[in-house]
Amino acid sequence: MTITPTSTLITAAELHRALADRDLLLIDVREPNEYASGHIPGALLCPLADVQDLHLPTLNIPIVLYCQSGRRSHLAWEVLQAKGLSNLRELQGGFQAWQQAGYGGSTAPISLMRQVQIVAGSLILVGVIAGFTVNPSFFLLSGFVGAGLLFAGITNTCALARLLALLPMNRPRRK
């Protein structure tokens, strides 16, 4: 399939057809935890923060960028175009559009980040309730989880996400 060079956007249906012909390079510019939660088969992971350092050979095939909704892939497109790459496309609507079109790609029932939010929020809530009703020492649980979230935000490393990624529901399914 040939993608018209006059447009930088490609729809999910066009991408699905192009992937069947295997004539493109697909790059996911989301974060590793998002990629682990689900991605388009065959996509290479290169988070937006690393796109500037991406070295791609001159290719005669389109390079398609995507993120969750399209905002980060457009930023990546701008960076790569400024580096002189011209055969760039963006998946219109991102991974959300891909999934809404029915092409799948998700390996987890809900995203890993939502799982982190649910588990952390539950632990904090349990700590507060138990602190008031059972023993004030349970407030330490809430403090510990809060400190972990603060550490995750500062370092961009989430131990809870890494732990949750090990669960069977978050592992890629083998065919």
Side-chain angles (χ1 to χ4, degrees), residues 24-90:
L24 59 85
L25 174 62
L26 185 60
I27 300 176
D28 186 330
V29 298
R30 300 175 303 157
E31 293 300 313
N33 64 333
E34 294 173 289
Y35 183 87
S37 295
H39 58 274
I40 299 172
L44 302 175
L45 175 64
C46 182
L48 179 59
D50 299 334
V51 166
Q52 180 63 39
D53 300 326
L54 186 62
H55 297 289
L56 294 170
T58 303
L59 300 172
N60 292 330
I61 60 172
I63 300 168
V64 179
L65 306 166
Y66 78 91
C67 62
Q68 191 65 25
S69 64
R71 188 182 66 78
R72 288 176 285 178
S73 61
H74 185 71
L75 295 172
W77 178 87
E78 289 176 340
V79 168
L80 292 175
Q81 185 160 22
K83 288 178 70 171
L85 292 169
S86 60
N87 206 7
L88 299 169
R89 305 291 178 265
E90 304 169 61

Side-chain angles (χ1 to χ4, degrees), residues 107-110 115 164-173:
T107 59
I110 58 174
Q115 292 177 47
L164 291 171
L166 298 175
L167 294 175
M169 68 181 188
N170 292 325
R171 291 197 166 183
R173 291 176 180 86

Side-chain angles (χ1 to χ4, degrees), residues 94-117:
F95 189 61
Q96 290 174 348
W98 178 263
Q99 288 183 305
Q100 288 171 353
Y103 299 124
S106 180
T107 59
I110 58 174
S111 74
L112 197 56
M113 191 48 59
R114 282 186 57 206
Q115 292 177 47
V116 167
Q117 293 168 337

